[in-house]
Amino acid sequence: MENIKTAQVYKQMLKWQLLATISVAVLVFILAKIIGVASPEHAAISALCGGMSAVIGGIAGALIAKSGDKKNNAGAILITMLKAEAVKIFVIALLLFLTFKLYNEHLVPIALILGLAASAILSGAAFFGLDKK
Amino acid sequence: MEAVQFLATIQAYTGIGIGLIIGLGAAGACIGIGIMCASFLEGAARQPEMIPALQGKVFLLLGLIDASFIIGVGLAMMFAFANPLLSVVPH
């Protein structure tokens, strides 16, 4: 089995997350324009806010996880990974809270959840991209 | 008066729902992470040379396991800050 660099994993993850976020934002913009339930601009911005929360959380987690690259002990690596995951969840929850508090007036909640879900789920798609290489 | 009672009932049940969403989501994510970390440690003990290869994949899968929990947190925040159920209460 080939040795995959951790930095390569983060880059793949980030690429998939950004792609998912932008796709959902465009999709929501078009849907809102066709259906006319919410303002298309605000729906797209809401989707971007949701997706970018997951992206920024992922970057924060990756920065912490990167520090465990030089360790050879499996236990120490695992502790670093769990710390990174805790930081990631905290950052995502904080950014979502700020979005709901500061952008409350024009927020389209369904678009935000869609952007967040697409970004969070598709980060795992990087796994299959790595297997192809 | 009736509207206030409706509002209080909806808010109370929404509070219970938020607790269940976050609590059950966290429980599921923790069980999944526990199983995966145990497998990683077992694999690392059997073949220590595989640790660098597994490290990145462990981080990716941690994110995938946590995705459902993160989505749950987002939904819970939606119900806490922009509850769509409150729109049925007459003004």
Side-chain angles (χ1 to χ4, degrees):
Chain A
M1 195 174 181
E2 64 180 313
N3 188 351
I4 299 164
K5 289 234 179 213
T6 323
Q8 196 184 340
V9 176
Y10 305 142
K11 272 184 198 165
Q12 279 277 340
M13 194 180 82
L14 200 66
K15 199 175 84 180
W16 276 98
Q17 280 188 320
L18 283 173
L19 200 71
T21 304
I22 293 167
S23 307
V24 169
V26 171
L27 191 78
V28 161
F29 182 85
I30 293 168
L31 273 178
K33 204 153 205 176
I34 291 170
I35 299 170
V37 178
S39 159
E41 291 84 15
H42 289 304
I45 291 171
S46 300
L48 276 178
C49 284
M52 289 311 283
S53 306
V55 171
I56 293 170
I59 291 171
L63 288 176
I64 304 282
K66 230 177 173 183
S67 63
D69 264 3
K70 287 161 195 162
K71 291 173 183 163
N72 290 322
N73 182 6
I77 289 172
L78 210 54
I79 299 270
T80 314
M81 290 280 173
L82 291 175
K83 264 187 210 166
E85 205 55 33
V87 168
K88 181 180 156 184
I89 291 174
F90 178 74
V91 169
I92 291 175
L94 186 74
L95 288 175
L96 284 177
F97 174 76
L98 287 177
T99 307
F100 274 107
K101 272 283 174 200
L102 302 177
Y103 190 52
N104 199 15
E105 217 164 288
H106 303 292
L107 186 74
V108 183
I110 299 295
L112 182 126
I113 299 294
L114 272 178
L116 176 73
S119 181
I121 290 172
L122 275 181
S123 66
F127 193 80
F128 304 109
L130 287 176
D131 271 356
K132 274 183 194 168
K133 285 192 175 177
Chain B
M1 186 62 194
E2 222 174 59
V4 177
Q5 275 181 339
F6 272 140
L7 204 70
T9 310
I10 290 171
Q11 281 181 334
Y13 283 118
T14 304
I16 294 171
I18 289 170
L20 284 174
I21 290 171
I22 292 184
L24 291 177
C30 285
I31 292 168
I33 287 172
I35 291 171
M36 196 196 60
C37 289
S39 302
F40 172 69
L41 284 178
E42 201 177 321
R46 281 177 198 272
Q47 287 175 287
E49 71 274 9
M50 289 290 288
I51 291 176
L54 290 173
Q55 195 177 343
K57 295 191 172 190
V58 166
F59 183 70
L60 258 185
L61 288 176
L62 270 177
L64 202 58
I65 292 169
D66 268 349
S68 59
F69 173 64
I70 290 167
I71 294 166
V73 169
L75 275 174
M77 281 196 179
M78 183 184 89
F79 281 114
F81 297 111
N83 193 350
L85 303 174
L86 291 177
S87 60
V88 297
V89 178
H91 293 288

